[in-house]
Amino acid sequence: MTIAAQLSRLSIKFHRHSILENINLTIPKNKITVFIGRSGSGKTTLLRSFNRLNDEYPECLTEGEIKLDLGTGLQLYNRLSPKALSELRLKVGILFQTPNVLPVSIEKNISLPLAKLLHLAEAEIRDRVQQSLQDVGLWEEVRHRLHSAADKLSGGQQQRLCLARILALKPKILLLDEPTASLDILAARKIEELIEKLAPKYSLIMVSHSLAQACRLADRLCIFDKGRIIAIIDNKQEMQEEKLAGIISALPE
Ligand SMILES: Nc1ncnc2c1ncn2[C@@H]1O[C@H](COP(=O)(O)OP(=O)(O)OP(=O)(O)O)[C@@H](O)[C@H]1O
């Protein structure tokens, strides 16, 4: 198995209160890893450790090792300068539960980060805008209204636009925090199909509250309980909704 990320002895505290304890986990490259478990068990906090987003909270203390392969083999991403941190976040994109489009046009949602963060030339920006919108299946829907306000799109379209904005930056790892939770069934299914389509090219790590969705998508499934990973399942045949529900409901409150 090729490894995209490796966490060793990772512990995270907020206000000196332990949230995650002694996490040891490898993330397979160009596969889908899904985190499931009860609310408050630490899934989102662990997801945010891969792009060191928890470091933005002054009351947060992260201990242990975070190693990532962002194109040059596994490297330690522990004490980072502000420049290294922003480079890291270009390579490790995060999609949140609620679409966070910028209050500008559809086109600018993608082109602004490319111009401001990567300083790309106009022609390259145009190419990446079109390519990323095609990658998320949005190009045909928006090509004639690229200059319209992004917040007028439907929720599902906005979520796909947010994904296009991340893909345009050419990341290696995609973090997805309950990416379909705010969407209706059809829009959610479209995002799921996209996630499956992206998997051969990107290493995806996703938090999901839907056991059915987790079973459909996961190559590796991690079950969380009270700040620990209590089981890792790699065998697709063992990923059954009822079985997982049984494991989680049998855990002591
Ligand atoms: N910025 C923060 N400051 C203080 N405590 C935090 C912060 N972020 C998370 N926590 C705490 O960490 C614990 C784990 O939260 P986290 O969001 O990681 O759990 P989760 O498993 O993703 O939950 P859910 O499924 O409800 O999203 C919770 O007790 C939460 O209150």
Side-chain angles (χ1 to χ4, degrees), residues 189-217:
R189 195 40 79 93
K190 266 194 183 159
I191 297 282
E192 271 193 28
E193 285 167 5
L194 250 176
I195 290 170
E196 277 185 303
K197 199 180 98 187
L198 294 172
K201 278 175 74 183
Y202 303 92
S203 306
L204 294 111
I205 313 172
M206 176 169 100
V207 173
S208 179
H209 271 289
S210 160
L211 297 183
Q213 179 182 67
C215 292
R216 278 195 295 274
L217 293 180

Side-chain angles (χ1 to χ4, degrees), residues 14 19 38-45 48 57 59 178 209:
F14 277 111
I19 303 297
R38 286 213 188 103
S39 192
S41 54
K43 305 178 295 297
T44 294
T45 304
R48 287 193 305 231
Y57 300 104
E59 66 278 15
E178 295 184 56
H209 271 289

Side-chain angles (χ1 to χ4, degrees), residues 12-15 17-20 35-48 54 56-60 97 177-178 207-209 224 226-227:
I12 297 184
K13 294 189 178 97
F14 277 111
H15 301 286
H17 177 70
S18 177
I19 303 297
L20 289 164
F35 295 168
I36 58 170
R38 286 213 188 103
S39 192
S41 54
K43 305 178 295 297
T44 294
T45 304
L46 191 66
L47 192 78
R48 287 193 305 231
N54 295 312
E56 299 304 314
Y57 300 104
E59 66 278 15
C60 179
Q97 180 174 343
D177 194 359
E178 295 184 56
V207 173
S208 179
H209 271 289
F224 282 63
K226 300 187 191 73

Side-chain angles (χ1 to χ4, degrees), residues 20-238:
L20 289 164
E21 258 179 71
N22 194 26
I23 302 284
N24 295 288
L25 177 67
T26 52
I27 302 292
K29 189 171 179 174
N30 297 355
K31 302 268 182 209
I32 305 173
T33 301
V34 182
F35 295 168
I36 58 170
R38 286 213 188 103
S39 192
S41 54
K43 305 178 295 297
T44 294
T45 304
L46 191 66
L47 192 78
R48 287 193 305 231
S49 70
F50 290 97
N51 64 352
R52 305 222 56 123
L53 213 49
N54 295 312
D55 297 4
E56 299 304 314
Y57 300 104
E59 66 278 15
C60 179
L61 175 68
T62 301
E63 290 172 307
E65 285 185 354
I66 300 171
K67 284 185 180 167
L68 307 171
D69 180 355
L70 301 181
T72 50
L74 272 185
Q75 288 189 18
L76 196 59
Y77 283 82
N78 272 32
R79 282 170 209 87
L80 300 182
S81 64
K83 185 168 174 275
L85 201 54
S86 55
E87 280 168 10
L88 165 71
R89 290 182 187 156
L90 294 175
K91 293 279 175 211
V92 186
I94 185 162
L95 186 69
F96 298 99
Q97 180 174 343
T98 313
N100 59 341
V101 294
L102 305 170
V104 290
S105 70
I106 295 168
E107 188 266 338
K108 281 218 157 23
N109 260 273
I110 303 174
S111 65
L112 274 181
L114 295 176
K116 302 270 180 225
L117 302 174
L118 299 187
H119 312 291
L120 297 180
E122 259 181 48
E124 170 75 10
I125 291 179
R126 260 198 315 277
D127 285 352
R128 288 206 194 188
V129 168
Q130 179 167 345
Q131 186 59 55
S132 62
L133 287 170
Q134 282 171 340
D135 287 347
V136 300
L138 206 51
W139 176 249
E140 290 304 325
E141 289 166 58
V142 302
R143 58 183 297 184
H144 300 299
R145 48 175 171 144
L146 287 175
H147 301 291
S148 307
D151 55 14
K152 295 289 178 290
L153 294 170
S154 71
Q157 288 173 322
Q158 288 190 30
Q159 193 63 316
R160 281 187 284 148
L161 178 61
C162 292
L163 191 52
R165 189 172 62 205
I166 297 169
L167 296 182
L169 295 164
K170 304 207 170 181
K172 294 283 181 202
I173 298 177
L174 296 177
L175 309 176
L176 312 169
D177 194 359
E178 295 184 56
T180 61
S182 68
L183 306 177
D184 65 48
I185 294 176
L186 284 180
R189 195 40 79 93
K190 266 194 183 159
I191 297 282
E192 271 193 28
E193 285 167 5
L194 250 176
I195 290 170
E196 277 185 303
K197 199 180 98 187
L198 294 172
K201 278 175 74 183
Y202 303 92
S203 306
L204 294 111
I205 313 172
M206 176 169 100
V207 173
S208 179
H209 271 289
S210 160
L211 297 183
Q213 179 182 67
C215 292
R216 278 195 295 274
L217 293 180
D219 296 297
R220 165 163 285 193
L221 199 54
C222 304
I223 306 179
F224 282 63
D225 183 46
K226 300 187 191 73
R228 291 175 183 272
I229 295 177
I230 56 146
I232 296 177
I233 304 173
D234 289 317
N235 182 348
K236 205 72 196 165
Q237 280 166 358
E238 285 178 31

